[in-house]
Amino acid sequence: MCVAALVTLGSGVVNLLSVIGPSLPERRRLLKESFPLEFIHLSRFFTLLIGFALVISSINIYKRKKRAYRLVLLLAVSSVVFHLTKGLDYEEAIFSLVLVFVLLLGRKAFTVKSGVPNFRSALLRAAIAAGVALCYGVFGFWLLDSREFGINFTIADSVRRTLLFISLAGDPQITPYTRYAQWFINSLYLMTASAIGYSIFALFRPALYQLERLPHERARTAEILARHGRSALDYFKLWPDKSYFFSPSGRAFIAYATTNHTVIALGDPVGPEDEIEEIVRAFKAFCDQHGWTVAFHQTLPDFLAIYRRAGFKKLKIGDDAIVDLNRFSLEGKSMKKIRHCVNHLEKSGCRMVEHHPPIEKYILLELKAVSDEWLKIPGRRERRFTLGAFDAGYIRSTPVVAVEDKNGCVLAFVNIIPSCRAGEATIDLMRYRTDAPAGVMDFLFVKLFQLSRARGYERFNLGMAPMSGFQEDEEAALEERAVHRFFRRLNFIFNFSGLRRYKAKFATIWEPRYLIYRSALDLPGLAIALGRVSQFKAEPELDAGVAA
C-alpha cells in the first residue's frame, strides 16, 4: 500500500502545483473557444480542493481504509476531468489516470473499516491540513510571475504574506493586477476555509466506536463461563469495562477492551476447544477490518499452538503463584518465621473474621477506611481490567476475610472471588492499614489457606508475579528473552523480584502467563494501551454508596 499512498500524495501535490501556474496560452485559447471563463475558474477551484483532499487522504490509503479507497478513486476520476477543463493539462490528467489504475489494481487490499477516533491523530491531521494550506500559499507567491502583483516575492515574503491571508487578516499592500492574481488570492481563502473545515471535522466528528454490550450478553457469557471457564481471571470477563466478540455458533466468546486503535483481549477465548481456533482467526479478521492492533493479555499456555498458527507471537509476562493446599503446612524450617509471626499475632489478640454477603454498611465503612489508608502508600492505586476496585456494591456482594485486633479494629482484609477453575480458590483486593503489625498479611493468608482447605479446595491462586523469569524447561525466543532482560533491569522501578519473593513464601506451583501479539513493533503501543485499559476511573457514586 506504500505505492498507492505515494501515488495518491503525488497526485495531490501535482493538483496543487498545477493551479499555481497559469495554463499555456495556446491551450487557454482553445478552452476559451469551448467553455466560458467562469467555468475554467471553477475547474481550477475544484482541482485545488481535490489536490487538498488527495494529500490528506493518502494517510488513510496507506492504512488500507475501504472508505478512503472509494473517495480517492472518485477524486482521481474527477481530477482527470478538471485537469482537462481548466487548461488542457493532459500531463497532470495522465498522472491522475495512473492513480486510478493503481487503485483498481490494488482494490482487494482495501478491507479496513473506519477505526476508533483518536484525539491525537485528529490533531495531527488538523496540523497536516494547516501545513498543506501554508505550503500552497508560500509556493504560490514564490513561483508567481512578478507582473501578477508587481512584486518579486522572496521565500520570507511568501511566508509572511501567506500567514496573513490564511489567518483571514489579508494584506492591504497586495494588489492583484491580473485576473489570475485575483484568482490566486481567492484560492488562498478557499484553501484556508477547507483546512479549517477539515480540522473541525477531524477534531469533533462523532465516535465511530462505542462500548456496547446488550443486556442478554452478560447472561450468555456467564453461562459459557460456567461450562468452559478455566482460570481465576475469567471472573473479570463479566465486568462492565469489557465488550464481547462471539463465535458464529454463539458457544464461544472473547472479552476485550479498546483504547484508541488497540484492542486488548482478557485471557484466552472461552468456549468448546474445537471452536477456539475459529474464534481467534475471526477476531483477528474483525480487528484487521477496523484497523486495530490486537493482543491477548494473560493467556494460559494451553492454546499457544493455535495462536502461532493464526500468526501471533508469545511473550511471557509472568507466572501465577499457586499454593497446593493439600501440601500446605506451617511445619518445617522454611516456615519458621511465618509460624512465629502467626503465633505472635494470635497471642496479641488478633483473629480472622469472615463476613458473608451482603456485607453490612458499618463493616463496609471500616473496610473503606482500611482501603483508603492503603491507597495513600506511594505506588498504590486502584486498577481495573484484570482487577477489581473498592466499589461499595462490589465489595458488599463478595465474601470478605479480615484480620481484627483485640479491640475489633480491622487491620487488613481480602475479598474472595470465584475462580472458574475447579478446586481453586482466589481473591481480588488485598488491603491493610499502614500501622498494622508486621506480618499481618502473612497471618491473613495462612488463615485463608486453612479455611479454603477445610472447604474442599485443592489450590489457591495468589495472582501473577510479573516478569519472574523462565523455568528450566521453558522455551523462549530471543525476542522474548531480550524483553525480559530489559524489564528486569527496570526492577528498581517496578520491584518485580520483590513481588515474586513474597509470593514464593507460600507458592509451590508457578504457571506461566503470556501476552499474545503480532509484531515486535506493536509492543510499545500495547504497553501504553494496557496502562490505559487498566487505569481506574473513579465513579462519583462509590463514596455515596458506602456512606448510604
Side-chain angles (χ1 to χ4, degrees), residues 245-248 252-254 269 274-289 294 296 303-312 516 518:
F245 180 87
F246 290 93
S247 64
F253 76 93
I254 292 172
D274 59 356
E275 291 202 11
I276 298 301
E277 184 158 2
E278 179 185 12
I279 194 174
V280 167
R281 292 183 181 275
F283 188 60
K284 177 185 174 185
F286 167 72
C287 293
D288 285 345
Q289 287 176 355
V294 59
F296 294 80
F303 300 138
L304 290 180
I306 290 176
Y307 292 122
R308 192 180 304 113
R309 287 196 295 269
F312 288 95
I516 303 299
R518 297 179 64 176

Side-chain angles (χ1 to χ4, degrees), residues 268 294-301 303-304 307-308 311-319 464-470 474-488 496 511-527 530:
D268 296 298
V294 59
F296 294 80
H297 180 56
Q298 288 200 37
T299 69
L300 303 175
F303 300 138
L304 290 180
Y307 292 122
R308 192 180 304 113
F312 288 95
K313 300 179 180 180
K314 72 175 177 70
L315 170 66
K316 184 179 178 183
I317 54 175
D319 293 279
M464 190 176 71
M467 292 296 167
S468 52
F470 300 96
E474 282 188 271
E475 294 182 5
L478 290 175
E479 186 179 284
E480 200 173 358
R481 292 187 181 276
V483 173
H484 265 258
R485 281 195 295 270
F486 172 75
F487 275 100
R488 290 181 77 81
F496 297 130
E511 294 184 348
R513 298 293 181 263
Y514 299 95
L515 175 72
I516 303 299
Y517 67 102
R518 297 179 64 176
S519 168
L521 297 177
D522 294 339
L523 290 177
L526 289 174
L530 278 168

